[in-house]
Amino acid sequence: MSKKKTYEYNSIFKEDINNLIKEKELLLKNNTIRRYNEVLKIFDLWCIENNVIINDLNEELVEKWMTQRNTENSLTRHLRCSITRELARNMIKNKKNAYVIPSKYYKGINEHIPYIYSDEEIINLLTYFENI
């Protein structure tokens, strides 16, 4: 199975995206590369739709890109954050300006929310166990 992308990036970040994908293809499995391609394709299209013409992954741009969509869950947003951080780090490594999202920006996603039993449920549980 090939790790090659099928989408041709066209935004101002196409060179940066291609560099990141090329680097990741050497290190990651096909499924992970596919996820990178999916997220970066959406980012590329988003940049084109929003007329991003300066190759500067600045904080304002990243904040707009990271806004939670109504149609996405927190795990999808977390994936976008993670891959965007990787893109920014790669750009910085290549001497370009980029804003790296702080990890606290998306920490706590999918935290477990405990179920709180009502008084009635507690009484029913205690009654059940007392009668065993």
Side-chain angles (χ1 to χ4, degrees):
M1 180 180 251
S2 173
K3 294 182 182 179
K4 298 294 179 194
K5 63 178 175 47
T6 57
Y7 174 76
E8 177 106 12
Y9 300 106
N10 295 301
S11 74
I12 191 73
F13 296 106
K14 66 183 173 188
E15 180 183 324
D16 304 302
I17 293 170
N18 284 321
N19 287 339
L20 177 63
I21 293 295
K22 187 176 179 181
E23 180 181 296
K24 293 300 179 182
E25 283 178 339
L26 300 172
L27 305 170
L28 302 174
K29 295 180 182 178
N30 287 340
N31 288 342
T32 305
I33 292 298
R34 190 174 66 243
R35 279 188 234 122
Y36 268 77
N37 279 319
E38 290 167 359
V39 169
L40 291 169
K41 175 184 176 183
I42 294 167
F43 174 69
D44 189 70
L45 292 169
W46 182 86
C47 288
I48 293 167
E49 289 170 10
N50 288 278
N51 299 314
V52 178
I53 58 172
I54 298 173
N55 191 329
D56 181 2
L57 195 59
N58 60 47
E59 184 174 357
E60 180 183 352
L61 179 69
V62 171
E63 293 290 334
K64 285 180 184 176
W65 163 243
M66 291 290 72
T67 301
Q68 177 106 18
R69 290 7 176 215
N70 291 333
T71 57
E72 76 180 347
N73 63 35
S74 58
L75 186 60
T76 303
R77 182 170 177 269
H78 176 80
L79 183 62
R80 281 194 305 122
C81 286
S82 178
I83 292 174
T84 304
R85 280 174 57 97
E86 288 295 316
L87 177 61
R89 286 182 179 145
N90 194 276
M91 288 175 69
I92 290 168
K93 185 174 76 176
N94 290 310
K95 311 284 189 253
K96 294 189 176 182
N97 187 38
Y99 172 70
V100 178
I101 306 163
S103 60
K104 67 177 183 163
Y105 192 90
Y106 59 92
K107 288 288 184 202
I109 293 174
N110 290 332
E111 285 183 3
H112 173 69
I113 300 172
Y115 179 78
I116 308 296
Y117 289 97
S118 69
D119 290 342
E120 182 181 345
E121 289 171 315
I122 292 171
I123 290 169
N124 288 340
L125 279 171
L126 292 173
T127 302
Y128 173 79
F129 286 115
E130 286 176 352
N131 294 318
I132 293 181

